[in-house]
Amino acid sequence: MSALNRVLMLTCQYMPDVYGGAEKQCQRISQELSKDHSVTILTSCQRYADSGSRTEGSVSVRRLYSIFPPDLLGRWLPFSFLWFFLVLLWSIKNRKSFNVIHCHQGKFGAFVGTFMGWILRKPVLIKVGNSGLHLDLKCLEAKKVIGPLLAGFVVKHQPVLVAITKQIEKELREYGLNNVVVIHNSISSELKVIESRVDLPSGYINLFYHGRIEKIKDIPLLIEAFSLANKNKSLILNIIGDGAELSASKAYAEKLGVIDSVVFHGKVNDVISYINDFDVFVNSSQAEGFSNSLLEALLLGKVLVSTPVSGANDAIKKGINGFVSESHETIHIANAILAALKLHECDSDGVAEYSKALIADKFESTVIANKYRELYAEM
């Protein structure tokens, strides 16, 4: 195994503790790279019984116990730095097992990875997962007292930054980071879809959102736009996922009087198969890096609707496979939904054909993994 073929993936949290976009991307790219690289994922766990090393497929996953998620900082700062020191001790002891440090998300993990690279004299790559006010390093900097110091350390040492959209690249350069490359999130066209068992009522068009039900996703805004678009009562909104805002979202649907047309499915296994029978994907997020939910709907050839967040215009071509709303205002999202319904009815086959080609060209896991291989070699 050559020196450039040993990669340490660093992520503050990983599945099953968290099953978010960053964790999915870490898993996808690790599995793809492991075909010809030695890949180790170094992460935390919140149950001591889960600590230790395990092999998942062809990837080694090493979990170091942390009572609280290490990227919380704030009042949990002592626990964050306890995990940091455990990571540092592990990396020093195992420094011969890796030659590249690949950090997923640019928050606390960006500091940890940059510090490891500085101590061990190893190249560091940090993938940035969000944009705007939620840009990873801005979130790190916003942590009281310690945040500006940690973010400043990263900027001073100028690691390689991977922006998953052009918008994020621009924001990183404005933040003071120079070594920035654009590599999109990935998805595999080989993901298998088994027969879905969702019982869908006939005579309706099924809109759907799948992902975390958190404040940043603004599910109430989606419900409001759906209510405005569903004047003839021919639509059903399916919300798949779980999170802190689930109860509030249900309450808002009841408040608007549309609870009979909104179905909350909760968390599901094999989400790709589960959403396969739905029709139009809708996303009302206030901010994204590059939505994994959007990519999964793109893979399945669904008509797409999104607010104008980072990554939306990379996956959606107006009138060809979907629509990006003019703004985050309810009326603009509702108008995008109505336009998407017409596209679904008149050219769903064309949508699927275009999206399939787009996946192959820009987002296929093998394509993205090769870009990382080239980047590792340059580093």
Side-chain angles (χ1 to χ4, degrees):
M1 191 72 69
S2 69
L4 287 172
N5 282 347
R6 300 195 296 271
V7 183
L8 179 67
M9 299 288 186
L10 181 67
T11 178
C12 285
Q13 287 187 281
Y14 191 61
M15 299 172 281
D17 292 302
V18 174
Y19 203 84
E23 292 73 33
K24 283 185 180 180
Q25 286 299 318
C26 180
Q27 181 187 55
R28 287 173 186 167
I29 202 66
S30 296
Q31 292 291 348
E32 187 64 39
L33 285 170
S34 69
K35 293 177 181 177
D36 59 357
H37 285 47
S38 169
V39 180
T40 300
I41 297 173
L42 183 60
T43 187
S44 71
C45 61
Q46 277 64 69
R47 291 197 322 150
Y48 185 76
D50 295 330
S51 61
S53 296
R54 293 173 178 79
T55 300
E56 298 180 5
S58 52
V59 175
S60 175
V61 181
R62 180 67 170 90
R63 294 178 170 88
L64 302 176
Y65 176 58
S66 175
I67 299 174
F68 299 101
D71 54 345
L72 289 177
L73 298 176
R75 75 185 78 168
W76 299 278
L77 185 62
F79 301 100
S80 298
F81 273 87
L82 175 60
W83 184 78
F84 162 65
F85 285 119
L86 290 174
V87 167
L88 194 59
L89 288 173
W90 184 95
S91 64
I92 292 171
K93 181 179 179 180
N94 295 276
R95 60 189 178 277
K96 292 183 179 180
S97 69
F98 61 93
N99 284 80
V100 176
I101 302 168
H102 184 149
C103 305
H104 290 263
Q105 290 196 324
K107 300 177 184 177
F108 183 57
F111 164 75
V112 176
T114 303
F115 192 90
M116 287 168 58
W118 177 57
I119 290 291
L120 300 174
R121 299 294 185 265
K122 295 180 185 289
V124 179
L125 177 159
I126 298 169
K127 179 184 170 187
V128 176
N130 221 323
S131 64
L133 295 176
H134 300 274
L135 184 73
D136 295 7
L137 284 162
K138 287 183 180 179
C139 291
L140 177 61
E141 185 182 17
K143 297 293 184 179
K144 293 181 179 179
V145 182
I146 196 71
L149 296 175
L150 302 184
F153 184 88
V154 175
V155 174
K156 177 182 177 180
H157 289 272
Q158 292 288 324
V160 174
L161 275 291
V162 169
I164 54 180
T165 68
K166 284 286 187 181
Q167 179 177 331
I168 294 176
E169 178 191 26
K170 178 175 179 290
E171 292 174 5
L172 288 172
R173 293 192 185 281
E174 291 172 347
Y175 193 82
L177 292 151
N178 302 318
N179 300 324
V180 186
V181 297
V182 177
I183 302 178
H184 292 304
N185 276 350
S186 70
I187 196 162
S188 174
S189 58
E190 295 181 1
L191 285 173
K192 294 181 180 179
V193 176
I194 61 174
E195 183 180 356
S196 175
R197 297 184 179 179
V198 183
D199 186 17
L200 300 178
S202 60
Y204 293 89
I205 296 177
N206 281 273
L207 312 182
F208 71 100
Y209 163 82
H210 65 290
R212 294 180 294 121
I213 315 297
E214 304 292 346
K215 190 171 184 178
I216 196 172
K217 302 300 182 180
D218 209 341
I219 301 303
L221 176 62
L222 176 57
I223 294 170
E224 192 173 321
F226 165 76
S227 175
L228 192 60
N230 193 29
K231 295 301 184 183
N232 62 2
K233 308 300 181 184
S234 63
L235 309 177
I236 292 177
L237 175 60
N238 298 273
I239 297 175
I240 301 105
D242 199 358
E245 296 297 309
L246 179 59
S247 295
S249 298
K250 289 180 178 179
Y252 194 70
E254 290 185 5
K255 179 181 177 181
L256 289 185
V258 296
I259 192 65
D260 291 340
S261 300
V262 181
V263 181
F264 291 88
H265 296 256
K267 185 178 179 180
V268 301
N269 296 319
D270 188 11
V271 68
I272 294 289
S273 297
Y274 197 88
I275 65 176
N276 190 45
D277 289 338
F278 299 130
D279 302 309
V280 177
F281 171 79
V282 284
N283 175 35
S284 59
S285 289
Q286 293 295 326
E288 292 280 0
F290 198 125
S291 169
N292 277 277
S293 299
L294 180 64
L295 268 183
E296 289 159 354
L298 180 73
L299 174 70
L300 295 175
K302 305 302 180 182
V303 178
L304 309 169
V305 172
S306 176
T307 44
V309 291
S310 174
N313 285 308
D314 296 77
I316 301 173
K317 187 169 183 180
K318 181 179 178 181
I320 303 299
N321 69 337
F323 296 88
V324 178
S325 64
E326 293 181 27
S327 73
H328 289 81
E329 293 183 17
T330 306
I331 184 63
H332 290 150
I333 302 170
N335 287 341
I337 290 173
L338 291 172
L341 295 175
K342 293 179 181 178
L343 181 59
H344 168 71
E345 291 173 349
C346 71
D347 194 24
S348 58
D349 289 340
V351 169
E353 184 178 347
Y354 175 84
S355 294
K356 180 179 179 181
L358 187 62
I359 288 282
D361 181 51
K362 294 180 67 173
F363 305 113
E364 181 62 51
S365 292
T366 54
V367 173
I368 300 304
N370 284 336
K371 291 184 177 181
Y372 278 112
R373 290 182 179 103
E374 292 169 3
L375 184 56
Y376 295 154
E378 293 172 4
M379 294 166 65

